[in-house]
Amino acid sequence: MAELLRTHPLEAWTDTFAVLPAAVGITVEPFVAMADVRLGAVAPDVQARLGVDLPTVPNTWVPTGDGRAIWLGPDEWLLTSTAETPEALEDRLRAVLVPHGGAAVDVSAQRIGLRLTGERVRDVLARGCALDLHPRVFGWGACAQTTLGLAGVVLLALSDDGSDHVVLVRSSFAGYLADWLLDAALEFTTTEQ
Amino acid sequence: MTSTYRTAEGGRIDRSTTLGFTFDGEVLTGHPGDTLASALLAAGRHSIATSVKLGRPRGVAGAWAEDPCGLVQIEEPFPEPMLLATTVELFDGLAAHGLPGQGRLADVPDSARYDAVHHHVDVLVIGAGPAGLAAALTAARAGARVALVDEQSEAGGSLLSGTDQLDGVPATAWVEAAVQELAGSPEVLHLQRTTAFGSYDDGFVLALERRTDHLGGAAPEHLSRQRVWRLRARSVVVATGAHERPVVFADNDRPGIMLAGAARTFLHRYGVLPGREAVVFTTNDSAYDAALDLSRAGVRVQAVVDARPDGAPHRRAECDDAGIPVLPGSVVTGTRGVERVTHALVAPLAGGQVGPSSAVACDLLLVSGGWNPAVHLYSQARGRLRYDDELGAFLPGDDVDGLAAAGAAAGVTDLAGCLADGQRVARAALASLPLEPAADDRLPSAPESGTPAAPMVLWRVPDTSGAEGTTSFVDLQRDATVADIARAVGAGLRSIEHVKRYTTIGTAHDQGKTSGVLTSGITAELLGVPVRATGTTTFRPPYTPVSFAALAGRDRGRLFDPERVTAVHGWHVAQGAVFEDVGQWVRPRYYPQPGEDMDAAVLRECAAVRSSVGILDGSTLGKIDVQGPDAAVLLDRVYTNLMSSLEVGSVRYGVMCGVDGMVIDDGTVLRLAEDRFLALTTTGGAAKVLDWMEEWVQTEWPELRVHCTSVTEQWVTFPVVGPRSRDVIGAVFPGVDVANEAFPFMAWRDTTLDGVPVRLARISFSGELAYEVYVNAWYATAVWTRLIDAGRRFGITPYGTETMHVLRAEKGYPIIGQDTDGTVTPHDLGMAWAVSKKKPDFIGKRSFARPANTDPRRKQLVGLLPTDGRTVLPEGSQIVELHPDGVLPPPPVPMLGHVTSSYRSAELGRPFALALVRAGRSRIGETLHVPLAGSLVPVEVTASVLVDPEGARRDG
Amino acid sequence: MQLIACPWCGPREEVEFSYGGQAHVPHPAAPADLSDEEWAHYVFFRANPKGRFAERWNHSAGCRRWFNAVRDTATYRFEAVYRLDEPRPVTP
């Protein structure tokens, strides 16, 4: 069967990202299955059948076997998986949750992810994010739904020294955010002549 | 000849480098470390410009942002109006001229970059003078996260302007050591050239950093010229120092008259003698330092005129040694000179009475009426000020939450006191964090200051010039005088806020830094009330002017507002689409072919859809996944229609109202499973509708087991529309039986394309046979391309929002927000059929029974056909009714409604419109009129559906 | 820029929140039983006190949860935030 081609919203930016200096590295995260998960009043023994421990501490994320479980709200998580197809992930979660009043929705294409790495990444983020991203406050395992520039984002900390983050952004805002990040990083990507 | 007034040595300028600049066309030079003002004074130039109303010559009267006079416009290297010569750092190639109160906006775009940075600290210290440095060191040594911001080009504050010693060495050496120590602390952010201009709730302070202004044409382009720091601190220390206050007397505005402390700054910091022969007029001790320093530097000080009956006895010996005559109990009553002061008129003052005056020759008249703590930031944060009778100044009262003033900003007047106060306030901040002060946080010791003589509070010298206060200037920038305040009070104004607005005092660029407290004092005197009863006007941000470009930061041009695009945006661009903004979305409006304007393109696109097949990128439609055992219950409550009866596999159009019964959104609903729906919203309503559903679920019906999730970007939506759409869909998706019986109108079917799940729905927003194609946005371009390729033999025509609007309007389908405005019910739209009579309740139902909502004279949606068959009525046009005799009713002419949508129709061969018209449906067949460009255009009222009212086309 | 303490996410800038008006104004259980005037009071009438006011807020740019707050309308100070299932706290 011929495979239907997938296109990333930031395809046109990859060449620009590729030549950024290491201090402000931007890479496009590969396509992964993502599901928005609600538990409602689903009992703990049922939750156990999800195969992941959803983080209960607000504004945290945890790695799962093949992805991440990200706290989005008091009853909302974003679950990602590199191993399953979007449909398989949604089907599996729905089968567990829906009979008990929970829910799972395939949102694989709703957002895209950008990995931001380097020693100046925190400075770039601080140009548009009002949260305190000091590593003591926003270290590994922290996440937040907030705004970056004028776009809503989910921000994940992947290190304890502030040099590694993932930004999830609604796909329609991806181009704006990419342009914004490049503009905000200009000070660190331009060497004075 | 330049630099006649430059001292032989000293100052913090770099004499080894010479900078060239021009002022008012005159070629001049200065040095790095100069401001434009100091370089002008070094060239002997005091006069900057003439005043705004009276055209009187004005010069440099201060040394920094308090200067009410020296406004300039920079021409090169970038045009920038309304800057103070005292705060413009000199650079090579600067070209500027003086401004008589008004600048000129640049007529070229500002090519510089501007940005903003958020920064969080435990302790923010504003001001790097003695108190601020002491506070910053104390906090940094304790391990706190600290920011220290200061508006000058280097740290030190008042220490840069004097000769103070700390630990027996010049205080500037301690400043350097302190700056070095802070630089070595990783958790300290120290910013110079950074003005904290606004202080807000919860420790939020905005500060403007001038990053490259001082580099002039050499500024690197990739750096922002200015940066707004958005500082959030758990504790804020306001160590902003104090502004010297003048005393008002007749003709106190001549060039050469300046604040005493400013003269000291020009001398010590910039190596400039502001004059050769000086008279010093004071009410307090501080001006003696200026007199003595200037004298030592070679200025002939003709007299210290001290208003206090006893003067300053402890400074007497120094003055005698320096040969400076001191005239206690005397005042300056006036001046002579035009372009520059030539004489001070000095007279004895006794019992409030001024004696006969004598003229003392001078080219410099220094004035000190005391010091006003710079309480702006404290007051902006809603700190309460208290008036101090002895100092004649408003001081910070109690600390406000997380914010305290220190040093001169808190009314402390001596160096040792400022250092101690900075440390005290910092320690209090640490205690609140809590953090322990460092074991060793010693500060240097300052020499004991002698016993000061109490200052005298003197706002103004009685005017003996005969001008009756009309040349006694309070606000030099506004040309506002004692006479103006007297007129305000005479007009019955009592509130200082009213006096400010009547006189315009304090409304110029300097916001009354020198004139505000004077106005309070003089107003109180005239009213015969205590100053504390008069109070001050309100301090509001910004402390100093901030350009709009800086506030905008990087939110300019393309980044002004996010442009949301769909997954196939690149295809539209490649096809040469013309785009339009729909909220934040950028959508193809039409796809012009060579030579086509919008009208031609849209007529072609419309005709293609109605005769063959077209394709639209409808991905911007809001999509909400509604899931859970109670999903149908929720939808029954939020839609006016019955949704629970919808069968799996089917689609229903629905309308949503607010509790007031007015339509807020509409769209189709697909039932995906017993417990799952996909609700589509308008493009603009997506976020609003999701929020609306969440609001009701969370706040009113938490017992419902239902979850709403946005999937707007998850699924692209491509309507394939027109009589040949079935052929295209059938060709691309062979797995689906597209026959009408198998796949009827308002049904959806799942299929796959090369293994990828695809959902098809027979929904029509044009009246034509149509299929909406839904697929995971990853595959958007691939699926779109397949549809285009398959449609090629039918001439498939991509169409944009304009054609979509025409096609739907021809069918009378309203656009919520265009044909409605929040005052329109479903019944007004002719959609009573979409309002369930079976459901016991739904949001807004009760409102439909309110008399106002059942009034038959309500505005209703109807069609309009201009009877001339040519006029395209402008949307928003009003609709009127003529008397039976064809005459317009007398004014005010009743307005029956307005045109909400208006287009040319390819199908009808004429323009048409939709309109909300009072009792519109009862007027069908009548002729009304639309006033347009001075004439009345007759229009026939019709039903809202103008094309295919029988619905014969929807099944192909 | 004021901070508002989301009961879940903690202090965030006020621009992350949207306002929902007076709290504790439940939708009537049986609107059909209400007179026009009673219904109009529910739809159109809200308190507008100077001083303490219990009101609804939504952390719209964050966790999207609604919560209640007691805020002083004269000082803007948030005196308490509480979840929808919690009673209005007693403020001193």
Side-chain angles (χ1 to χ4, degrees):
Chain A
M1 194 181 290
E3 203 174 324
L4 212 54
L5 201 67
R6 299 187 297 193
T7 24
H8 196 280
L10 295 182
E11 206 171 59
W13 278 261
T14 43
D15 289 348
T16 312
F17 291 160
V19 297
L20 291 172
V24 277
I26 305 178
T27 44
V28 175
E29 292 246 290
F31 287 117
V32 292
M34 294 192 242
D36 189 283
V37 174
R38 311 292 186 86
L39 292 181
V42 173
D45 59 315
V46 176
Q47 289 180 39
R49 286 161 39 205
L50 292 175
V52 293
D53 285 329
L54 298 173
T56 52
V57 177
N59 297 304
T60 61
W61 69 275
V62 295
T64 62
D66 64 342
R68 301 176 184 127
I70 301 159
W71 187 94
L72 294 181
D75 182 33
E76 188 171 10
W77 291 265
L78 188 66
L79 210 55
T80 76
S81 167
T82 56
E84 287 170 288
T85 65
E87 301 76 39
L89 177 64
E90 185 193 85
D91 288 348
R92 180 171 66 81
L93 296 170
R94 270 179 55 81
V96 175
L97 295 174
V98 172
H100 302 278
V105 184
D106 176 17
V107 289
S108 307
Q110 179 80 354
R111 300 178 181 87
I112 60 103
L114 288 172
R115 184 82 173 257
L116 310 177
T117 52
E119 59 188 12
R120 304 318 292 261
V121 156
R122 193 153 70 87
D123 295 314
V124 172
L125 292 173
R127 277 150 178 67
C129 178
L131 299 187
D132 186 358
L133 300 180
H134 192 288
R136 282 206 297 271
V137 180
F138 200 77
W140 186 93
C143 74
Q145 287 200 86
T146 185
T147 49
L148 178 59
L150 299 170
V153 295
V154 184
L155 186 62
L156 312 184
L158 270 62
S159 77
D160 272 332
D161 65 359
S163 68
D164 196 352
H165 291 84
V166 163
V167 181
L168 300 171
V169 65
R170 296 272 288 258
S171 303
S172 63
F173 286 92
Y176 163 79
L177 194 72
D179 285 342
W180 187 92
L181 285 167
L182 290 170
D183 195 67
L186 194 71
E187 187 167 338
F188 311 115
T189 58
T190 308
T191 34
E192 207 181 327
Q193 301 304 311
Chain B
M1 182 180 167
T2 60
S3 294
T4 11
Y5 288 81
R6 191 71 77 174
T7 58
E9 56 181 12
R12 305 186 64 79
I13 50 169
D14 172 12
R15 293 171 191 256
S16 66
T17 304
T18 298
L19 306 173
F21 72 101
T22 64
F23 188 76
D24 285 347
E26 188 181 351
V27 180
L28 298 162
T29 62
H31 299 294
D34 262 326
T35 61
L36 176 57
S38 70
L40 289 171
L41 292 179
R45 176 151 186 170
H46 273 248
S47 193
I48 297 287
T50 51
S51 70
V52 63
K53 280 195 301 196
L54 304 173
R56 289 168 70 105
R58 294 281 163 75
V60 175
W64 189 251
E66 74 283 1
D67 182 14
C69 291
L71 279 181
V72 299
Q73 168 126 6
I74 290 182
E75 297 295 353
E76 297 292 341
F78 48 84
E80 184 86 48
M82 300 289 277
L83 298 174
L84 273 175
T86 51
T87 62
V88 173
E89 290 185 52
L90 195 68
F91 52 82
D92 204 46
L94 171 70
H97 64 255
L99 284 181
Q102 286 175 339
R104 173 180 49 76
L105 287 175
D107 48 16
V108 292
D110 184 349
S111 61
R113 302 174 57 79
Y114 298 85
D115 70 357
V117 176
H118 296 265
H119 191 75
H120 298 253
V121 292
D122 296 320
V123 181
L124 166 64
V125 180
I126 302 167
L133 283 172
L137 284 174
T138 302
R141 288 168 178 172
R145 292 166 67 187
V146 176
L148 171 65
V149 303
D150 183 271
E151 58 183 342
Q152 304 275 345
S153 59
E154 58 177 321
S158 62
L159 301 177
L160 301 175
S161 301
T163 54
D164 293 293
Q165 302 257 317
L166 286 171
D167 283 345
V169 295
T172 48
W174 172 71
V175 172
E176 279 166 34
V179 167
Q180 267 191 3
E181 182 181 338
L182 292 171
S185 312
E187 298 288 8
V188 174
L189 172 76
H190 176 192
L191 300 167
Q192 291 295 144
R193 298 191 172 94
T194 304
T195 306
F197 64 82
S199 158
Y200 306 85
D201 296 290
D202 300 320
F204 189 61
V205 171
L206 292 178
L208 182 76
E209 181 186 11
R210 294 171 299 279
R211 302 182 74 204
T212 69
D213 292 72
H214 61 290
L215 301 177
E221 281 179 20
H222 69 284
L223 295 185
S224 53
R225 175 188 292 165
Q226 296 179 353
R227 167 174 290 171
V228 173
W229 286 87
R230 305 172 68 87
L231 302 163
R232 179 76 67 178
R234 295 165 75 184
S235 282
V236 179
V237 179
V238 176
T240 46
H243 295 137
E244 197 162 23
R245 182 174 64 236
V247 181
V248 177
F249 47 85
D251 300 313
N252 59 335
D253 62 328
R254 304 195 196 284
I257 301 176
M258 70 167 62
L259 293 165
R264 216 171 163 232
T265 298
F266 285 118
L267 172 66
H268 291 303
R269 185 158 173 199
Y270 301 107
V272 170
L273 297 177
R276 300 272 186 227
E277 288 188 317
V279 169
V280 179
F281 174 30
T282 187
T283 63
N284 63 90
D285 289 358
S286 69
Y288 282 81
D289 292 327
L292 290 160
D293 289 355
L294 287 173
S295 172
R296 277 191 280 271
V299 175
R300 185 209 306 250
V301 179
Q302 304 278 50
V304 171
V305 180
D306 193 328
R308 296 172 290 184
D310 301 323
H314 68 298
R315 306 302 295 265
R316 193 63 190 249
E318 288 172 274
C319 292
D320 289 347
D321 290 349
I324 301 173
V326 177
L327 306 173
S330 300
V331 291
V332 170
T333 61
T335 64
R336 290 183 192 149
V338 179
E339 294 292 328
R340 179 83 180 257
V341 63
T342 60
H343 294 81
L345 306 179
V346 178
L349 174 76
Q353 298 297 310
V354 175
S357 69
S358 54
V360 180
C362 62
D363 63 355
L364 180 66
L365 172 53
L366 302 185
V367 183
S368 179
W371 294 82
N372 296 323
V375 294
H376 305 66
L377 298 172
Y378 167 85
S379 178
Q380 286 171 18
R382 286 183 278 172
R384 286 187 170 278
L385 301 173
R386 64 178 178 84
Y387 180 72
D388 185 292
D389 281 312
E390 185 179 338
L391 294 176
F394 289 89
L395 302 184
D398 297 333
D399 291 353
V400 290
D401 267 357
L403 183 142
V412 180
T413 54
D414 66 307
L415 177 55
C418 283
L419 291 169
D421 202 41
Q423 182 153 74
R424 177 189 66 80
V425 170
R427 283 182 176 164
L430 292 173
S432 71
L433 291 174
L435 274 176
E436 285 293 318
D440 178 16
D441 64 354
R442 183 191 165 276
L443 292 173
S445 53
E448 283 297 311
S449 50
T451 314
M456 171 178 177
V457 176
L458 178 67
W459 310 115
R460 58 177 175 141
V461 175
D463 187 359
T464 55
S465 72
E468 297 182 342
T470 58
T471 65
S472 299
F473 291 91
V474 179
D475 186 333
L476 275 67
Q477 185 55 228
R478 287 287 185 241
D479 271 340
T481 63
V482 170
D484 292 321
I485 299 179
R487 195 175 301 118
V489 170
L493 305 184
R494 294 292 179 271
S495 158
I496 195 68
E497 298 283 1
H498 293 160
V499 171
K500 167 180 176 171
R501 282 149 185 84
Y502 187 90
T503 60
T504 74
I505 288 172
T507 59
H509 69 278
D510 60 325
Q511 293 284 291
K513 288 184 180 61
T514 51
S515 58
V517 179
L518 280 179
T519 306
S520 295
I522 294 169
T523 302
E525 255 177 30
L526 293 172
L527 289 172
V529 299
V531 180
R532 70 167 46 81
T534 308
T536 65
T537 54
T538 307
F539 291 95
R540 293 191 181 86
Y543 169 70
T544 49
V546 180
S547 72
F548 283 111
L551 294 174
R554 72 178 76 257
D555 300 341
R556 293 167 69 182
R558 282 203 58 206
L559 299 179
F560 174 67
D561 194 27
E563 289 185 351
R564 298 180 71 182
V565 299
T566 73
V568 281
H569 185 71
W571 189 93
H572 306 316
V573 173
Q575 291 298 306
V578 173
F579 293 90
E580 74 166 335
D581 292 339
V582 182
Q584 289 182 317
W585 288 99
V586 178
R587 301 190 66 181
R589 191 174 190 188
Y590 57 100
Y591 300 80
Q593 292 188 348
E596 278 186 337
D597 62 6
M598 185 173 85
D599 283 351
V602 170
L603 287 172
R604 173 181 52 75
E605 290 173 9
C606 286
V609 173
R610 294 229 185 268
S611 65
S612 182
V613 61
I615 184 168
L616 174 78
D617 182 2
S619 305
T620 61
L621 282 178
K623 305 170 199 81
I624 301 169
D625 182 287
V626 183
Q627 200 174 141
D630 294 323
V633 179
L634 173 66
L635 296 186
D636 272 351
R637 293 183 189 177
V638 297
Y639 284 97
T640 61
N641 322 52
L642 194 61
M643 289 297 177
S644 51
S645 62
L646 184 64
E647 290 176 10
V648 174
S650 290
V651 181
R652 186 165 288 164
Y653 170 80
V655 175
M656 245 177 237
C657 291
V659 289
D660 58 0
M662 302 302 160
V663 177
I664 57 172
D665 207 72
D666 71 340
T668 49
V669 176
L670 285 65
R671 187 161 202 168
L672 305 182
E674 273 305 308
D675 57 7
R676 191 176 195 188
F677 295 80
L678 180 66
L680 290 125
T681 75
T682 58
T683 293
K688 189 179 66 184
V689 172
L690 178 64
D691 290 348
W692 179 246
M693 289 185 179
E694 282 286 354
E695 179 178 343
W696 287 91
V697 169
Q698 290 182 36
T699 68
E700 287 289 344
W701 307 316
E703 72 282 3
L704 291 185
R705 293 163 303 160
V706 59
H707 307 281
C708 306
T709 308
S710 170
V711 286
T712 297
E713 278 111 316
Q714 170 66 22
W715 303 102
V716 289
T717 310
F718 303 144
V720 179
V721 184
R724 305 312 294 266
S725 58
R726 182 172 285 135
D727 300 295
V728 177
I729 294 297
V732 176
F733 306 105
V736 174
D737 182 352
V738 292
N740 195 51
E741 302 72 33
F743 191 171
F745 183 59
M746 296 304 256
W748 62 266
R749 298 290 181 261
D750 275 349
T751 184
T752 59
L753 184 62
D754 295 350
V756 173
V758 173
R759 180 165 295 140
L760 305 172
R762 272 198 59 193
I763 296 167
S764 180
F765 198 40
S766 59
E768 300 296 327
L769 174 69
Y771 298 81
E772 291 184 350
V773 180
Y774 293 82
V775 69
N776 177 315
W778 292 351
Y779 304 99
T781 303
V783 171
W784 177 271
T785 308
R786 298 271 182 109
L787 292 165
I788 294 283
D789 289 347
R792 194 155 284 137
R793 66 194 177 99
F794 307 105
I796 193 167
T797 300
Y799 66 95
T801 49
E802 197 66 22
T803 291
M804 177 192 80
H805 277 273
V806 177
L807 297 174
R808 64 88 200 174
E810 288 173 342
K811 287 288 291 181
Y813 297 148
I815 298 271
I816 306 308
Q818 172 167 344
D819 300 297
T820 70
D821 59 3
T823 67
V824 179
T825 67
H827 311 84
D828 299 336
L829 294 173
M831 289 187 179
W833 55 268
V835 178
S836 168
K837 294 185 177 54
K838 295 182 192 155
K839 292 193 287 186
D841 197 24
F842 53 84
I843 297 171
K845 180 180 169 79
R846 175 64 183 81
S847 286
F848 294 146
R850 296 182 68 236
N853 289 3
T854 54
D855 187 338
R857 293 166 303 165
R858 290 183 63 80
K859 290 180 183 172
Q860 295 161 337
L861 189 72
V862 292
L864 296 181
L865 289 173
T867 54
D868 65 4
R870 291 194 320 271
T871 304
V872 181
L873 301 169
E875 289 170 356
S877 297
Q878 294 292 322
I879 297 159
V880 301
E881 182 176 30
L882 304 188
H883 281 320
D885 55 5
V887 177
L888 201 59
V893 180
M895 299 293 166
L896 298 185
H898 70 281
V899 174
T900 59
S901 295
S902 177
Y903 311 97
R904 288 177 211 283
S905 168
E907 184 71 15
L908 301 171
R910 62 187 296 179
F912 72 105
L914 296 178
L916 286 170
V917 177
R918 195 164 290 288
R921 284 198 288 276
S922 70
R923 295 177 185 272
I924 289 172
E926 290 179 13
T927 296
L928 298 175
H929 287 76
V930 172
L932 183 60
S935 66
L936 292 167
V937 178
V939 294
E940 183 194 344
V941 181
T942 71
S944 58
V945 185
L946 287 159
V947 168
D948 187 26
E950 312 78 27
R953 294 166 179 243
R954 68 167 208 213
D955 292 330
Chain C
M1 180 75 72
Q2 218 176 340
L3 295 176
I4 298 175
C6 168
W8 292 276
C9 300
R12 296 285 187 95
E13 293 201 339
E14 62 185 274
V15 288
E16 290 198 5
F17 297 82
S18 50
Y19 185 60
Q22 185 177 359
H24 312 296
V25 184
H27 189 257
D33 297 345
L34 301 185
S35 68
D36 282 345
E37 188 179 339
E38 287 166 333
W39 177 248
H41 266 271
Y42 166 71
V43 175
F44 300 115
F45 286 66
R46 292 294 182 274
N48 183 24
K50 179 180 180 181
R52 285 190 184 131
F53 190 37
E55 48 192 27
R56 305 186 312 158
W57 287 84
N58 181 230
H59 189 192
S60 43
C63 66
R64 302 196 303 124
R65 293 300 106 174
W66 283 90
F67 60 93
N68 290 332
V70 176
R71 188 179 63 105
D72 189 317
T73 59
T75 64
Y76 308 146
R77 188 183 306 278
F78 280 77
E79 302 195 339
V81 294
Y82 52 107
R83 299 179 187 187
L84 296 175
D85 56 2
E86 294 171 335
R88 176 175 173 168
V90 179
T91 38

